[in-house]
Amino acid sequence: PKDASPAAIIAELKAGKGRAHKITDFIPWVLPNKKKLEYLQGLIKQEKAVKRSEDRRGMECKTILIKIHRRRLFEDGFQHMKSIPDDVLKHHVKIMFVNELGLDEVGIDQDGVLKEFLEETIRHALNPSFGLFSVTEENKWLYPSPLSKIHYEHLDLFHYVGRIIAKAVYEGIVIDISFAPFFIRQL
């Protein structure tokens, strides 16, 4: 029988072997979360190195500009982001906030505005009163709410929240989320 240790599975993932992908797709809990995170961080580091190399060779460095009204931060973000393909979302995203008067805010962005947008969006989406997520009584851990169907587009909203969290991870923005272990094991 083949070695099914976490180290062997990670090595197979890096080599692009199908068995490892099947294992992680169908029984994701066999890899400890720390190993998954290390693997993901390695992939992101590799991908960013390739992008930097392409930028140095004069290939196009794309920036996506998204205008967000502060009062409709979550809704505007949802509408704009659903039209952006996943691979394009990996490019530099610049957020421009629009104030109550409809004027563009002057923001100094060393990704601080992007960070604010991501953090505020995540905070809104994970708030149990919004209805997408619930919390366990004992530990206050988050998990998808069985009542999330109160939102007509609840599956699209979950997809949006996942993309927002993925963008934060991709950009190295630390977010403090306490998902329930029974939910994390399924990722």
Side-chain angles (χ1 to χ4, degrees):
K2 292 189 174 192
D3 184 6
S5 69
I9 294 170
I10 293 291
E12 286 188 26
L13 282 170
K14 288 178 179 176
K17 295 192 177 175
R19 178 183 89 116
H21 288 286
K22 286 180 184 174
I23 289 171
T24 56
D25 285 349
F26 293 108
I27 48 175
W29 55 87
V30 297
L31 280 180
N33 289 330
K34 185 175 182 179
K35 292 287 183 193
K36 288 182 203 175
L37 181 61
E38 289 169 0
Y39 175 67
L40 178 62
Q41 288 171 331
L43 287 178
I44 291 170
K45 188 176 180 180
Q46 276 181 320
E47 188 171 283
K48 285 184 172 186
V50 168
K51 283 187 184 298
R52 278 192 304 275
S53 173
E54 289 173 353
D55 290 346
R56 280 194 296 270
R57 289 194 320 247
M59 298 179 90
E60 191 174 329
C61 179
K62 294 181 183 175
T63 298
I64 294 101
L65 175 64
I66 302 173
K67 283 191 173 191
I68 304 288
H69 288 80
R70 278 204 182 268
R71 297 184 78 178
R72 298 189 315 259
L73 185 133
F74 188 83
E75 297 82 0
D76 280 3
F78 176 64
Q79 290 304 318
H80 288 289
M81 297 287 252
K82 69 181 178 181
S83 64
I84 300 173
D86 291 341
D87 61 323
V88 174
L89 194 57
K90 292 178 182 179
H91 293 285
H92 183 255
V93 173
K94 182 176 178 165
I95 301 294
M96 180 171 286
F97 285 122
V98 177
N99 66 21
E100 311 78 49
L101 301 174
L103 302 173
D104 294 347
E105 290 184 8
V106 178
I108 299 170
D109 193 4
Q110 293 292 54
D111 292 331
V113 179
L114 173 65
K115 182 177 190 266
E116 179 184 355
F117 167 72
L118 294 173
E119 288 174 341
E120 290 301 316
T121 300
I122 291 167
R123 187 178 351 264
H124 179 84
L126 300 182
N127 185 332
S129 66
F130 184 60
L132 280 182
F133 289 85
S134 295
V135 292
T136 60
E137 286 186 35
E138 185 177 320
N139 299 332
K140 305 296 183 210
W141 288 330
L142 291 157
Y143 63 95
S145 172
L147 303 176
S148 65
K149 292 179 184 176
I150 62 168
H151 295 285
Y152 174 71
E153 298 178 289
H154 70 284
L155 296 178
D156 291 330
L157 289 171
F158 279 120
H159 185 248
Y160 171 57
V161 173
R163 293 178 83 210
I164 291 293
I165 292 171
K167 180 66 175 170
V169 170
Y170 190 81
E171 297 300 334
I173 297 170
V174 178
I175 49 177
D176 185 21
I177 303 174
S178 297
F179 284 124
F182 61 83
F183 173 57
I184 290 285
R185 281 192 297 271
Q186 301 306 311
L187 302 177

